[in-house]
């Protein structure tokens, strides 16, 4: 866009704005959505599908983009979510909250308009069931390592105690 301005001497000067575009990678919008939905009441999690779930079971993952699909245009965004909702909550209320927070965050952060939000409820769980399902293999191995360490320490302490009792015993038969 070119605009004309008049300088202090009364002559016209041209002021040109640089040309270019601003675009957003899908991953950026996925992260915005992931962070925006963290506190939605009744939403336990977003399901990343079979492969992502297996990966998360093997190694702890805090990837906020798992289970969030987006299509990003120059002015608009469409979002697809597969969610796990909490038992006892209303799916329509959760959808309404998701729409509000995603629309607000995407607009404030990127100036893009949310034109479509597709949410599929893929599971319903109690908070306890969900927490239990989030334990990864890495967590289990770490827990097993701690138990082994604790048991080994207990065994070493028992051997030390027994050894000190034998050494300090005054009724030794051989002197």
């Amino acid at each position: 866009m070119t605009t004309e301005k008049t300088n202090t001497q009364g002559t016209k000067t041209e002021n040109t704005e640089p040309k270019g575009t601003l675009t957003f990678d899908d991953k950026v919008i996925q992260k915005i959505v992931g962070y925006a939905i963290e506190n939605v009441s009744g939403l336990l999690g977003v399901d990343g599908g079979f492969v992502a779930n297996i990966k998360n079971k093997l190694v702890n993952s805090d990837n906020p983009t798992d289970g969030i699909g987006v299509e990003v245009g120059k002015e608009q965004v469409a979002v697809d979510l597969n969610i796990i909702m909490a038992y006892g909550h209303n799916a329509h209320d959760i959808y309404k909250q998701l729409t509000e927070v995603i629309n607000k965050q995407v607009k404030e952060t990127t100036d893009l308009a949310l034109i479509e939000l597709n949410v599929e409820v893929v599971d319903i769980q109690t908070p306890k069931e969900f927490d239990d399902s989030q334990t990864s293999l890495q967590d289990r191995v770490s827990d097993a390592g701690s138990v082994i360490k604790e048991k080994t320490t207990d065994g070493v302490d028992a051997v030390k105690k027994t050894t000190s009792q034998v050494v300090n015993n005054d009724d030794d038969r051989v002197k």
Side-chain angles (χ1 to χ4, degrees):
M1 170 182 284
T2 304
T3 57
E4 289 184 358
K5 289 186 175 182
T6 305
N7 63 16
T8 53
Q9 289 91 15
T11 59
K12 291 184 179 184
T13 61
E14 262 189 40
N15 182 22
T16 57
E17 293 181 18
K19 293 181 181 179
T21 60
L22 173 64
T23 59
F24 298 96
D25 188 276
D26 289 359
K27 198 172 288 186
V28 172
I29 304 302
Q30 288 172 317
K31 278 187 162 185
I32 292 168
V33 171
Y35 294 140
I37 65 176
E38 284 181 340
N39 297 314
V40 170
S41 177
L43 177 68
L44 293 176
V46 181
D47 186 46
F50 182 74
V51 174
N53 290 342
I54 294 297
K55 174 194 65 137
N56 290 342
K57 290 289 184 204
L58 295 175
V59 180
N60 289 335
S61 173
D62 289 332
N63 186 351
T65 65
D66 281 349
I68 301 171
V70 298
E71 289 182 40
V72 183
K74 291 182 180 183
E75 297 176 6
Q76 301 172 328
V77 162
V79 177
D80 298 318
L81 298 173
N82 293 333
I83 67 165
I84 301 168
M85 67 177 271
Y87 176 75
H89 288 265
N90 182 287
H92 292 282
D93 292 342
I94 294 170
Y95 180 81
K96 184 177 177 184
Q97 288 179 62
L98 288 168
T99 303
E100 289 170 2
V101 297
I102 292 170
N103 189 36
K104 180 178 184 254
Q105 274 312 129
V106 168
K107 187 69 172 170
E108 286 179 4
T109 308
T110 65
D111 229 14
L112 298 175
L114 177 68
I115 58 156
E116 186 175 321
L117 175 62
N118 300 304
V119 176
E120 181 178 351
V121 179
V122 295
D123 202 357
I124 186 167
Q125 298 177 356
T126 66
K128 183 183 180 330
E129 286 175 318
F130 183 74
D131 289 341
D132 290 348
S133 73
Q134 299 306 301
T135 303
S136 71
L137 183 59
Q138 182 180 358
D139 291 332
R140 291 182 185 165
V141 168
S142 294
D143 290 346
S146 297
V147 169
I148 291 169
K149 181 179 175 184
E150 184 179 308
K151 295 293 183 188
T152 303
T153 302
D154 291 347
V156 169
D157 291 343
V159 168
K160 285 180 181 176
K161 183 178 177 184
T162 303
T163 305
S164 69
Q165 287 174 349
V166 169
V167 170
N168 294 330
N169 191 352
D170 290 337
D171 294 336
D172 291 339
R173 290 190 277 169
V174 180
K175 292 192 182 194

